[in-house]
Amino acid sequence: MRKELVLGILSVVLGMLVVVAGCIGGEQETKTFSGTITIYTGGTSGVYYPLGSKYAEILTKAGINAKAVTSGASVSNAKAIGEENAQAAIMQNDIAYYAYNGLYMFKDSPIKNLRGVAALYPETVQFVVRADSDIKSLKDLAGKKVAIGAPGSGTAVAAEQILKAAGVWNSIQKVNQKFSQAAQALKLGQIDAAVIVSGAPTPAITQIATTTPVRVLPIPDDILQKLKSQGYIFYVRQILPKNTYKGMTEDTPTVAVKAILVVSADLPEDVVYQMTKILFDNVDQLRAVHQKAKYISLDTALDGMSIPLHPGAYKYYEEKGLQVPDDIKPPSG
């Protein structure tokens, strides 16, 4: 009897240990940081992939295991962090804003675990017309056929916001086309203008401009201020030099969204602190793989940041003496 009692007690204890071990194992399986940071980028022909790949290489050499993967870019990247398939990503700041706040394409599924690390470079909002067009301003687009981007894309949302601010959104003939399609349609005279959101010069525009010179319509200060007053804090001023495309004869004021580096809120503070430090300590290496990296600077690291910073990034900026605006400080708690 005594032996049976001892064996019974041991059986119960062992059972409890198995349950505890199973719970601990379950907790480990649900953590988003497993030792290797997966960075979602974009297509291999774009800017996100070469920059993200080099950054992953730099992180790994510095002792933080990381790998970059191709993706469908901004919208896909935000969803990947929400679904815990990625721990870091590059994306447009407007898409990050929509994801975090549950707007537009994220209205049914906000992604609250997005956190900012740094603004990288501008992605220019370009309202492109042929150089011989009589369209000189956004208001002149009234009644015209305008390619506004693919349905549900960030470009289509930007086109709507800006053209509403200009008072012509309801009077244009809207055409849903991707960048390459819109560029060719503009060349063939099938549309009057194309909206393209991309780093400038954009190859699709440069290509058609060699035979069909183009201009970019100016976006004046009053439109930019109106956008900001409506809560679109992600837009920043940009001046396109007159030599950006064949057909431009003067520097043109426009606006841009920013490509930003984001991470999951679940990454440890010390890891993201090191990620931020490594980014700015190795900008020269990033500039060696793509010219857009020339814009990466501590001076502009917070320009257009549209979501709260990760505590690790915030700690780094505080140490560097940067004044972090209240609306992007890490959420308390």
Side-chain angles (χ1 to χ4, degrees):
M1 289 292 292
R2 187 175 299 173
K3 182 179 179 180
E4 290 176 358
L5 180 60
V6 170
L7 287 174
I9 293 172
L10 284 173
S11 177
V12 171
V13 170
L14 286 172
M16 292 175 65
L17 287 174
V18 168
V19 171
V20 171
C23 291
I24 294 173
E27 288 178 357
Q28 289 176 337
E29 289 173 2
T30 60
K31 287 182 180 178
T32 58
F33 179 61
S34 62
T36 297
I37 294 173
T38 298
I39 305 172
Y40 268 47
T41 59
T44 55
S45 61
V47 182
Y48 290 5
Y49 182 72
L51 283 184
S53 296
K54 188 63 178 180
Y55 181 52
E57 177 188 315
I58 294 168
L59 287 174
T60 300
K61 287 181 178 178
I64 298 176
N65 291 329
K67 65 177 181 179
V69 299
T70 60
S71 73
S74 295
V75 174
S76 299
N77 295 356
K79 290 179 179 179
I81 287 183
E83 294 164 359
E84 301 183 359
N85 292 323
Q87 290 75 49
I90 302 173
M91 67 182 65
Q92 290 178 196
N93 63 346
D94 55 338
I95 302 300
Y97 180 85
Y98 304 148
Y100 184 80
N101 291 287
L103 302 172
Y104 298 105
M105 62 286 283
F106 298 98
K107 64 180 179 181
D108 296 323
S109 53
I111 301 172
K112 303 303 286 186
N113 66 328
L114 275 184
R115 295 292 182 272
V117 175
L120 303 177
Y121 65 88
E123 297 197 37
T124 314
V125 181
Q126 302 164 83
F127 285 80
V128 186
V129 298
R130 294 167 59 127
D132 58 5
S133 170
D134 60 357
I135 300 172
K136 306 296 183 183
S137 69
L138 294 179
K139 291 188 179 298
D140 292 339
L141 291 174
K144 304 297 185 183
K145 188 177 290 186
V146 183
I148 59 169
S153 67
T155 297
V157 174
E160 180 179 354
Q161 291 168 350
I162 293 169
L163 292 177
K164 278 185 174 179
V168 296
W169 174 250
N170 293 326
S171 61
I172 65 168
Q173 300 176 53
K174 303 171 185 67
V175 180
N176 287 116
Q177 290 179 324
K178 295 180 179 180
F179 293 176
S180 57
Q181 296 171 322
Q184 288 303 312
L186 185 67
K187 178 180 180 178
L188 296 173
Q190 297 170 343
I191 58 174
D192 299 298
V195 187
I196 295 178
V197 181
S198 178
T202 303
I205 305 175
T206 300
Q207 187 175 0
I208 70 160
T210 57
T211 57
T212 308
V214 300
R215 286 184 289 106
V216 176
L217 299 180
I219 298 179
D221 285 341
D222 63 319
I223 297 296
L224 176 57
Q225 293 309 314
K226 189 171 184 179
L227 290 167
K228 287 185 175 293
S229 70
Q230 292 172 344
Y232 304 130
I233 61 172
F234 38 79
Y235 287 113
V236 297
R237 170 59 75 205
Q238 187 178 13
I239 305 296
L240 279 188
K242 61 184 179 183
N243 62 352
T244 302
Y245 301 113
K246 182 180 179 181
M248 291 179 63
T249 59
E250 57 186 5
D251 295 347
T252 302
T254 183
V255 299
V257 293
K258 297 291 285 285
I260 62 175
L261 177 64
V262 303
V263 294
S264 167
D266 297 320
L267 278 179
E269 180 177 328
D270 61 326
V271 172
V272 178
Y273 172 87
Q274 289 299 326
M275 289 176 67
T276 313
K277 184 178 188 301
I278 290 166
L279 173 70
F280 290 106
D281 285 351
N282 295 276
V283 170
D284 288 346
Q285 292 189 54
L286 296 172
R287 290 172 181 166
V289 299
H290 202 286
Q291 62 173 346
K292 286 299 172 190
K294 69 183 180 182
Y295 293 102
I296 300 175
S297 167
L298 197 56
D299 293 336
T300 57
L302 301 178
D303 289 1
M305 181 55 66
S306 57
I307 59 174
L309 291 172
H310 191 283
Y314 177 65
K315 178 182 177 182
Y316 176 80
Y317 294 131
E318 279 210 311
E319 287 184 1
K320 289 295 182 179
L322 270 64
Q323 294 296 317
V324 178
D326 289 342
D327 58 353
I328 62 169
K329 288 181 179 179
S332 58

